[in-house]
Amino acid sequence: MTFSSPLDNPTPHTPDPQHPATPAQGHPGGQPQGPGFGPPAPQAVFGSPPPPTPQPHTSTLPAWPPQPGNPGGPKKSRGGLVALVAAVALVAGALGGGLGYLAADESDSSSQGGSSTVSTSADPAALNRKPDSVAGIADKALPSVVTIEADGSSGSSTGTGFVYDKEGHILTNNHVVSPAANGGDLSVTFSNGKEYEASVIGHAEGYDVAVIKIDNPGDAKLVPLPLGDSEEVVVGDATIAIGAPFGLSGTVTTGIVSAKDRPVAAGGENGSQPSYMSAIQTDASINPGNSGGPLLDASGRVIGINSAIQPGGSSDPMGGQSGGSIGLGFAIPINQAKWVAATLIESGEPVYAQLGVLRNDEYEGKGAQIAPRDMGNVPAVTPNGPADKAGLKPGDVITKLNDQLIEGGPQLVSEIWTHRPGDEVTVTYKRDGQEHTTTVTLGERKGDNP
């Protein structure tokens, strides 16, 4: 039986009270670590490491921690939760020079071989785009979107970010800047081509959110993008994504909100903590390099941070495999991200809500089961913790958090993390076949490593 914990005492296959494994399947060598109940695993939309291009990875929702020999493919989650969420990938990067070269070469060929061009005159007024058109929104937003280059001892990546305030703070994903999070080179490049050195102010592995700051803004035009209200988003709303897919900065794509509150888990490789989100799903084209970029609504307000995709397997121009957009992208809701950003700017470290239980990831029924017994020195229910005070016991199966049905352990983590420490939540659970309800006041955990 494999157990893991939701925000406090995670345990891997070999019990380790300090680091529970995350539900990421298919991560080579990855012993994802995480704090508690979480959602299915996707892949993050990273930036672009230099050649050789790293292969994108997928992660599904196996037992937590991953079982030896688990196949790396996506699987359906219980109760109809689509496997695509479990298979979403942190998009690790653009193809760098390879794809850019091919695009440029193809473009140049049009001017060879005696081809000719035709120009037509047009009324300049007719070419003006309305401010609320996609073109008008993109024109206004692009100067506030930056391409981020991170280089450190652990590797390098390219991603996207956007101006958060006039002090030079840039909001992006943790996985975009992680190579330089503990020392390294970090730079941001604006749409006008101007490049500035930057530093990591704070990063949260669990939320996959990071705040960086331009060291010497100088003449940089810092125009913060307006933030929307992700709670008001509904399925069918128009979306606009901006980023640097495959290193192609300033790329704009459009789509709709195709789902809300999609449980997503990703990352967790090489000892890092996995990230969890109750995501906005969109069919706007998102690819490696889009990570950290804004997802805008039809008014040009940021409603999310593009972070993960369900990748398609296709051969890249260099002969390897590269996950591309198949119309399933996931964004961190901006209401959550801006609270995390404010916390990181203030203290430099993340804060997580905590339930205070150890979960059983081998439970096959619907819901998230609290481990029926302690694992080593890790108690199934933390004595005097939030769950204990609310009367929850080992073996209880949590089926609902407030009005949100819980299909499994990973989904519970993403739901818990949409709340803040001190929030009261209604927990519905089953014990001995009988349904009960209790109120839990969520606890607090500071930092990424419990």
Side-chain angles (χ1 to χ4, degrees):
M1 185 172 285
T2 305
F3 303 119
S4 67
S5 136
L7 298 190
D8 22 316
N9 302 312
T11 39
H13 243 342
T14 302
D16 176 358
Q18 298 303 315
H19 300 287
T22 150
Q25 182 180 16
H27 291 279
Q31 194 86 11
Q33 303 169 10
F37 301 96
Q43 283 186 340
V45 188
F46 279 79
S48 81
T53 304
Q55 301 304 310
H57 49 276
T58 59
S59 55
T60 56
L61 251 199
W64 184 334
Q67 304 297 312
N70 253 350
K75 16 175 192 180
K76 287 188 178 179
S77 53
R78 296 185 294 276
L81 277 183
V82 189
L84 62 86
V85 179
V88 183
L90 292 174
V91 180
L95 293 179
L99 188 62
Y101 171 78
L102 291 181
D105 184 65
E106 197 170 305
S107 174
D108 291 344
S109 66
S110 65
S111 62
Q112 299 174 0
S115 63
S116 59
T117 59
V118 177
S119 299
T120 61
S121 60
D123 179 2
L127 298 178
N128 290 337
R129 302 302 191 261
K130 294 182 178 180
D132 60 352
S133 68
V134 172
I137 292 171
D139 183 62
K140 186 175 181 180
L142 279 167
S144 298
V145 179
V146 300
T147 298
I148 299 172
E149 301 280 348
D151 188 17
S153 58
S154 62
S156 60
S157 70
T158 299
T160 307
F162 58 93
V163 178
Y164 182 67
D165 59 28
K166 294 183 178 181
E167 284 69 51
H169 291 109
I170 305 290
L171 195 54
T172 185
N173 284 140
N174 170 72
H175 70 257
V176 170
V177 303
S178 58
N182 297 310
D185 296 324
L186 189 66
S187 67
V188 301
T189 303
F190 284 79
S191 60
N192 60 8
K194 291 189 176 181
E195 182 177 350
Y196 302 86
E197 298 296 317
S199 300
V200 177
I201 297 300
H203 61 107
E205 292 179 0
Y207 296 119
D208 196 19
V209 171
V211 176
I212 64 177
K213 187 176 183 181
I214 299 174
D215 294 335
N216 297 297
D219 61 350
K221 294 182 179 180
L222 301 173
V223 181
L225 287 182
L227 305 183
D229 184 352
S230 51
E231 289 296 321
E232 297 299 319
V233 170
V234 299
V235 174
D237 280 353
T239 58
I240 301 170
I242 303 179
F246 297 100
L248 303 175
S249 300
T251 296
V252 178
T253 56
T254 63
I256 62 168
V257 172
S258 50
K260 286 185 62 178
D261 303 321
R262 185 71 79 188
V264 171
E269 293 79 20
N270 303 318
S272 65
Q273 178 176 306
S275 60
Y276 298 90
M277 67 188 86
S278 185
I280 297 172
Q281 180 180 308
T282 181
D283 66 349
S285 183
I286 297 173
N287 285 289
N290 271 109
S291 268
L295 184 69
L296 309 175
D297 64 13
S299 297
R301 300 170 300 181
V302 181
I303 56 173
I305 302 176
N306 299 318
S307 301
I309 63 170
Q310 162 67 43
S314 59
S315 296
D316 67 35
M318 308 308 290
Q321 291 295 315
S322 175
S325 172
I326 59 172
L328 292 171
F330 304 92
I332 301 167
I334 195 61
N335 288 16
Q336 180 183 31
K338 67 183 179 183
W339 175 73
V340 176
T343 303
L344 294 175
I345 292 172
E346 179 181 352
S347 67
E349 68 175 342
V351 176
Y352 299 92
Q354 186 177 39
L355 185 60
V357 299
L358 188 69
R359 81 167 193 259
N360 175 18
D361 279 317
E362 288 191 345
Y363 178 71
E364 295 183 352
K366 287 188 177 181
Q369 187 187 48
I370 299 174
R373 63 177 183 274
D374 297 350
M375 284 291 291
N377 296 322
V378 183
V381 178
T382 303
N384 206 36
D388 187 33
K389 291 179 179 178
L392 291 170
K393 304 291 185 183
D396 287 348
V397 177
I398 297 173
T399 58
K400 187 185 292 185
L401 189 76
N402 290 335
D403 295 327
Q404 180 65 52
L405 291 174
I406 301 299
E407 297 283 349
Q411 184 182 7
L412 185 54
V413 176
S414 65
E415 290 301 324
I416 290 172
W417 283 0
T418 63
H419 296 277
R420 304 181 188 183
D423 283 356
E424 287 190 349
V425 295
T426 300
V427 175
T428 303
Y429 63 98
K430 288 186 177 180
R431 180 186 297 167
D432 299 326
Q434 299 297 312
E435 187 172 88
H436 307 272
T437 300
T438 187
T439 300
V440 178
T441 301
L442 296 174
E444 176 182 283
R445 192 199 85 201
K446 291 184 178 181
D448 278 317
N449 298 310

